[in-house]
């Protein structure tokens, strides 16, 4: 059979492996062993329902064979094996889901690619100049050989093999000035790598090891007998096989947890938090979970798949079991092992499994408590975490009509204009003066602009704090939560509502002030009607404001939909026509108002209309809204200056 070219992306990846400057080349062994272990999982899983497999749990093993002289290292498994088609498919193209994204990545940064995705089988080419794979699929009597010396391509030919499984035979490269490849054909070197990366693999990883012992003493023992030594070999199991998630937390070091996380979940950074959780109440399980310290590159896309690896009594049943995690904790990675799950459970029945639901609930509570502990005990770390995943948690509080808000609200952080840092809602409420009626917030995309809003100073000048919300989900989240618990003056449980500072009644004005403004609005009715007419239904009403000090105008919203929410919704297809009810508030003690009034009294309707347009446009700009007709606005301002 002729040489086949690699699929283009595989070729690129392979080239990268061969010329890799990656210093951590030893991880190739971890990758090959993990493939072997997966292949065994598959056959073992089959054997549970299919007696024709004829294998027991203890028959499975991964065998490493060294041939120092010929610089060969072989990794053999008695797993499921591959058919000719699978061989072609799996080793001729990049099957690895993570590596697929490799094509969009910068090829200069090969270190990151290896670190982030793990590269599976192809990593063998970091240490080998020739790789041969001999494999026989379970249930087939024909074996196949795949062979390649690098980027030129590969060849597949029929081969002989007694039993099902796969041998990966590596011809290890010669040493170079910078790299000592001898390590990969040394018993000591190889066993150390296995211990380091693959200790928890649940099948024995075995290797013949050379040992020496004293020869038996001859009987009778001659005089001047000097003991003689001989070498012998013994098959040794290199790994301890106890999965790390079954070990007590005290038995495992932070480094081991971190190394496990990075190897298993293909991350280059240590996790932000390790969570070890065991049987809680009626749910029977061991879980080892990790909160990553940074978001995966595809986290906020549809491609991201949440889920935990699910094991039933140590056997992997599903790589990413989504039902174990709520969406708002979808960033959590990890493993759950339960002895209460049946091994041959299917995906469909799993969804309805009550045990799974119990585990889900226990984990949800556990993750929440751990995040809370991080918030309380390690604030900097929590804030770094919040930058990465906070948005997801806010979506969680908002989703399902706020069903999870109570669970999540304690985890939320928002920027405080007064404190100039992130605060929790609880911290906000604790510092509220007794007479403060609301939790004030301003929403928009720039915190700087929000802090300068005319109404912001009104709140801050009173000594009240103001939360600046800059993500689109924030205000929706507040709206669905509606209020936050607060003890009243007598220490009784009560609640305090959220208040957008551009809503109508801020609860800051005294009754007299409100009354005076209402009267002033009534007195100026004809002027305000003229303005409303000039603005052609863009606003619901013009009113004398109780809250403007230095600015002539501002916009406020009447009703449940705020101006910021209108902005967010108008970006979504189908919701373009959603409009808030806007009120143009006017500062009656501002010189501009006097000018407006004079124009009205002089019967100059054109001027009133022109001024109204300008003031409305200004109010829009202050709110961060686009001006309806920027050219007309610019012309109108110019006309005034002439
Ligand atoms: P990944 O393991 O991440 O999918 P690899 O490049 O390491 O990516 O392997 C590609 C595929 O080749 C695997 O998904 C598996 O189907 C197959 N494979 C690799 N090694 C073995 C093996 N020892 N036995 C059976 N199949 C294997």
């Amino acid at each position: 059979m002729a040489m086949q070219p690699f699929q283009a992306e595989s070729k690129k990846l392979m080239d990268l492996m061969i010329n890799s400057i990656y210093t951590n080349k030893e991880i190739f062994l971890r990758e090959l062993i993990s493939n072997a272990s997966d292949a065994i999982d598959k056959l073992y899983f089959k054997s549970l329902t299919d007696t024709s497999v004829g294998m027991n749990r203890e028959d499975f093993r991964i065998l490493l064979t060294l041939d120092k002289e010929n610089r060969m290292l072989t990794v053999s498994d008695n797993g499921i094996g591959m058919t000719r088609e699978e061989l072609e498919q799996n080793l001729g193209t990049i099957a690895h889901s993570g590596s697929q994204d490799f094509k969009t990545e910068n090829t200069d940064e090969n270190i990151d690619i290896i670190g982030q995705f793990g590269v599976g089988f192809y990593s063998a080419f970091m240490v080998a100049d020739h790789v041969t794979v001999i494999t026989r699929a379970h249930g087939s009597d024909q074996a196949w050989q795949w062979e390649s010396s690098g980027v030129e391509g590969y060849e597949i030919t029929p081969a002989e093999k007694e039993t099902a499984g796969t041998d990966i035979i590596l011809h290890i490269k010669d040493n170079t000035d910078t790299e000592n490849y001898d390590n990969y054909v040394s018993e000591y070197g190889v066993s150390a790598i296995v211990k380091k990366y693959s200790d928890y693999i649940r099948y024995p990883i075995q290797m013949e090891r050379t040992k020496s012992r004293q020869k038996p003493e001859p009987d009778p023992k001659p005089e001047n007998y000097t003991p003689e030594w001989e070498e012998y070999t013994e098959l040794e199991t290199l790994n301890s096989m106890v999965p790390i998630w079954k070990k007590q937390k005290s038995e495992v070091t932070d480094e081991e947890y971190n190394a496990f996380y990075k190897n298993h979940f293909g991350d280059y950074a240590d996790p932000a938090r390790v969570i070890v959780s065991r049987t809680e109440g009626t749910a029977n399980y061991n879980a080892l979970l990790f909160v990553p310290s940074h978001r995966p590159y595809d986290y906020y896309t549809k491609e991201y798949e949440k889920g935990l690896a699910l094991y039933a009594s140590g056997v992997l049943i599903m790589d990413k079991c989504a039902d174990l995690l709520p969406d708002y904790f979808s960033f959590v990675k990890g493993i759950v092992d339960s002895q209460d799950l049946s091994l041959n459970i299917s995906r469909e029945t799993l969804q309805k499994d009550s045990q799974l639901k119990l585990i889900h609930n226990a984990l949800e509570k556990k993750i929440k408590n751990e995040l809370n502990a991080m918030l309380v005990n390690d604030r900097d770390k929590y804030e770094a975490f919040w930058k990465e995943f906070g948005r997801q948690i806010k979506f969680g509080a908002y989703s399902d009509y706020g069903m999870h808000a109570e669970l999540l609200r304690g985890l939320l952080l928002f920027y405080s204009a007064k404190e100039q840092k992130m605060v929790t809602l609880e911290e906000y409420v604790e510092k509220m003066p007794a007479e403060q009626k609301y939790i004030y917030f301003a929403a928009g995309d720039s915190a700087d602009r929000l802090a300068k809003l005319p109404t912001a100073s009104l709140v801050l000048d009173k000594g009240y704090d103001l939360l600046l919300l800059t993500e689109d989900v924030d205000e929706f989240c507040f709206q669905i939560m509606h209020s936050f618990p607060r003890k009243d003056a007598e220490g009784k449980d009560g609640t305090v509502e959220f208040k957008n500072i551009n809503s109508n009644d801020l609860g800051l004005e005294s009754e007299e002030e409100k009354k005076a403004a209402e009267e002033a609005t009534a007195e100026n009715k004809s002027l305000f009607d003229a303005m409303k007419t000039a603005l052609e239904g863009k606003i619901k009403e013009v009113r004398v404001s109780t809250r403007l000090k230095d600015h002539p105008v501002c916009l406020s919203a009447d009703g449940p939909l705020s101006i910021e929410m209108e902005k967010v919704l108008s970006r979504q297809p189908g919701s373009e026509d959603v409009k808030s009810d806007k009120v143009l508030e006017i500062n009656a003690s501002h010189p501009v108002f006097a000018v407006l009034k004079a124009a009205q009294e002089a019967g100059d309707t054109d001027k009133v209309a022109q001024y109204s347009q300008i003031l409305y446009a200004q109010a829009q700009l202050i709110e961060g809204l686009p001006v309806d007709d920027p050219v007309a606005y610019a012309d109108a301002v110019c006309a005034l200056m002439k």
Side-chain angles (χ1 to χ4, degrees):
M1 164 129 199
M3 175 115 66
Q4 302 280 308
F6 283 108
Q7 169 237 17
E9 298 308 331
S10 308
K11 189 171 165 181
K12 241 202 269 177
L13 183 57
M14 176 92 89
D15 188 39
L16 225 120
M17 289 301 113
I18 295 168
N19 302 306
S20 174
I21 49 150
Y22 190 53
T23 45
N24 208 13
K25 290 184 166 51
E26 62 189 22
I27 58 114
F28 80 93
L29 191 55
R30 172 194 83 198
E31 301 286 310
L32 297 183
I33 287 176
S34 134
N35 281 349
S37 167
D38 289 350
I40 293 177
D41 270 344
K42 286 178 195 155
L43 188 55
Y44 175 53
F45 194 62
K46 208 179 179 98
S47 75
L48 297 172
T49 49
D50 178 352
T51 48
S52 77
V53 174
M55 302 269 283
N56 295 315
R57 178 77 173 77
E58 52 285 358
D59 299 331
F60 292 104
R61 50 97 193 108
I62 297 162
L63 188 65
L64 306 180
T65 319
L66 297 180
D67 176 350
K68 214 171 183 149
E69 265 154 59
N70 297 309
R71 298 187 77 74
M72 305 284 243
L73 163 64
T74 304
V75 180
S76 309
D77 67 69
N78 50 359
I80 193 106
M82 283 177 273
T83 62
R84 194 198 176 295
E85 291 68 36
E86 285 165 341
L87 205 47
E88 176 97 49
Q89 178 69 35
N90 295 338
L91 305 187
T93 59
I94 297 188
H96 195 289
S97 57
S99 317
Q100 257 164 15
D101 299 288
F102 156 79
K103 50 190 150 191
T104 56
E105 291 293 310
N106 184 348
T107 44
D108 296 338
E109 290 171 6
N110 56 358
I111 292 175
D112 266 10
I113 291 163
I114 295 170
Q116 287 188 34
F117 304 130
V119 285
F121 172 77
Y122 290 116
S123 62
F125 287 92
M126 289 198 290
V127 301
D129 49 26
H130 191 90
V131 178
T132 310
V133 178
I134 299 174
T135 185
R136 184 171 145 188
H138 164 75
S140 152
D141 37 21
Q142 177 64 58
W144 294 94
Q145 170 171 309
W146 180 102
E147 222 178 335
S148 171
S149 300
V151 285
E152 297 79 43
Y154 58 91
E155 220 172 316
I156 296 180
T157 46
E160 300 280 317
K161 195 173 182 309
E162 288 286 301
T163 51
T166 304
D167 299 338
I168 314 271
I169 306 157
L170 311 183
H171 182 261
I172 301 295
K173 292 180 186 176
D174 287 328
N175 290 345
T176 65
D177 292 346
T178 50
E179 200 64 48
N180 178 15
Y181 292 100
D182 286 354
N183 203 32
Y184 309 126
V185 281
S186 116
E187 285 179 24
Y188 178 77
V190 167
S191 69
I193 299 172
V194 170
K195 201 82 201 138
K196 182 165 168 191
Y197 295 106
S198 312
D199 192 54
Y200 56 86
I201 292 285
R202 294 174 331 282
Y203 303 101
I205 303 168
Q206 298 178 321
M207 186 169 75
E208 288 283 354
R209 295 205 71 172
T210 314
K211 304 187 172 172
S212 62
R213 64 184 164 206
Q214 209 172 334
K215 279 189 177 171
E217 291 179 0
D219 193 20
K221 194 154 90 176
E223 266 181 58
N224 304 328
Y225 171 77
T226 40
E228 283 182 44
W229 292 80
E230 62 177 3
E231 285 204 333
Y232 70 104
T233 59
E234 194 175 72
L235 194 63
E236 200 180 277
T237 297
L238 306 176
N239 55 330
S240 74
M241 289 187 279
V242 179
I244 191 168
W245 58 90
K246 285 244 169 111
K247 292 184 185 168
Q248 297 291 335
K249 204 170 183 181
S250 56
E251 286 176 80
V252 186
T253 63
D254 290 350
E255 287 72 35
E256 283 171 320
Y257 276 134
N258 291 348
F260 175 80
Y261 166 75
K262 289 193 276 194
N263 294 338
H264 216 84
F265 299 103
D267 197 347
Y268 55 86
D270 286 342
R273 196 164 182 97
V274 178
I275 303 174
V276 179
S277 174
R278 283 169 204 289
T279 301
E280 296 245 350
T282 44
N284 249 321
Y285 67 93
N286 284 295
L288 176 57
L289 311 181
F290 302 91
V291 177
S293 56
H294 67 107
R295 2 171 230 274
Y297 65 98
D298 61 352
Y299 186 59
Y300 287 118
T301 71
K302 279 207 289 295
E303 272 69 58
Y304 182 80
E305 231 186 298
K306 70 162 181 172
L308 301 174
L310 180 61
Y311 287 79
S313 308
V315 180
L316 181 70
I317 11 184
M318 205 186 285
D319 234 1
K320 280 196 173 160
C321 178
D323 296 330
L324 282 168
L325 279 180
D327 278 344
Y328 36 90
F329 294 148
S330 62
F331 47 83
V332 173
K333 307 259 183 207
I335 280 165
V336 174
D337 194 342
S338 171
Q339 55 278 44
D340 293 356
L341 293 169
S342 143
L343 276 177
N344 35 29
I345 198 162
S346 73
R347 260 162 216 266
E348 294 71 49
T349 49
L350 203 54
Q351 274 174 359
K352 291 186 229 107
D353 194 279
S354 58
Q355 184 66 18
L356 205 69
K357 189 77 200 143
L358 288 175
I359 300 176
H360 169 282
N361 293 346
L363 292 180
E364 174 183 71
K365 217 189 303 153
K366 179 77 181 173
I367 295 168
K368 189 222 144 173
N369 291 343
E370 292 275 335
L371 291 175
N372 203 52
M374 190 151 101
L375 171 66
V376 174
N377 304 322
D378 201 346
R379 183 68 172 238
D380 288 348
K381 206 170 201 178
Y382 187 80
E383 288 190 18
F385 155 80
W386 185 254
K387 273 206 187 88
E388 300 294 314
F389 299 110
R391 191 177 158 75
Q392 185 69 11
I393 295 189
K394 289 188 282 194
F395 270 116
Y398 164 66
S399 66
D400 300 333
Y401 307 100
M403 216 169 98
H404 322 287
E406 199 174 322
L407 178 86
L408 301 174
R409 65 188 175 199
L411 297 174
L412 307 179
L413 290 184
F414 298 97
Y415 189 78
S416 146
K418 189 173 170 193
E419 314 248 336
Q420 304 266 306
K421 62 174 192 196
M422 302 300 282
V423 296
T424 64
L425 293 172
E426 200 165 317
E427 286 160 354
Y428 182 103
V429 167
E430 265 167 21
K431 291 196 176 157
M432 277 172 69
E435 81 283 357
Q436 185 181 336
K437 288 196 211 128
Y438 298 109
I439 297 175
Y440 294 103
F441 69 91
D445 34 22
S446 139
D448 276 352
R449 183 181 67 75
L450 294 176
K452 289 188 199 126
L453 284 177
T455 35
S457 54
L458 205 68
V459 171
L460 291 167
D461 288 353
K462 282 254 183 197
Y464 301 163
D465 197 358
L466 173 67
L467 298 174
L468 304 181
L469 312 188
T470 50
E471 283 196 304
D472 51 9
V473 58
D474 293 348
E475 193 175 2
F476 291 89
C477 183
F478 273 15
Q479 203 185 40
I480 210 122
M481 290 197 290
H482 187 68
S483 61
F484 193 80
R486 177 204 200 185
K487 292 222 187 298
D488 66 13
E490 282 102 54
K492 282 215 205 84
D493 287 337
T495 57
V496 51
E497 284 175 28
F498 298 104
K499 193 73 151 179
N500 189 330
I501 58 163
N502 77 13
S503 58
N504 231 322
D505 176 12
L506 286 186
L508 293 172
E509 310 81 359
S510 66
E511 284 309 313
E512 295 84 69
E513 281 170 326
K514 269 196 232 171
K515 210 156 159 232
E518 271 164 32
E519 280 167 15
T521 303
E523 275 165 29
N524 291 294
K525 187 170 185 313
S526 60
L527 170 61
F528 291 168
D529 283 347
M531 292 177 77
K532 198 177 154 185
T533 315
L535 292 171
E536 294 162 348
K538 285 173 190 153
I539 50 164
K540 199 182 141 207
E541 197 180 343
V542 182
R543 230 182 255 163
V544 170
S545 179
T546 51
R547 51 194 181 146
L548 285 169
K549 282 195 299 194
D550 307 324
H551 291 72
V553 282
C554 72
L555 280 180
S556 64
D558 240 5
L561 196 66
S562 79
I563 293 170
E564 186 55 29
M565 290 165 97
E566 171 190 317
K567 274 192 257 172
V568 173
L569 290 174
S570 65
R571 288 197 289 266
Q572 280 161 19
S575 321
E576 294 89 348
D577 298 335
V578 182
K579 290 270 178 265
S580 56
D581 288 333
K582 296 184 195 69
V583 174
L584 182 65
E585 295 195 18
I586 193 151
N587 182 350
S589 41
H590 197 281
V592 159
F593 184 68
V595 174
L596 200 55
K597 225 172 140 76
Q600 159 83 0
E601 276 156 14
D604 192 341
T605 14
D606 285 352
K607 220 160 215 150
V608 170
Q610 190 194 22
Y611 290 167
S612 302
Q613 302 286 2
I614 293 176
L615 289 173
Y616 177 64
Q618 284 185 0
Q620 281 183 307
L621 286 171
I622 291 172
E623 274 313 317
L625 287 169
V627 175
D628 300 337
D629 186 347
V631 176
Y633 172 65
D635 287 349
V637 173
C638 283
L640 283 185
M641 293 171 78
K642 276 196 283 206

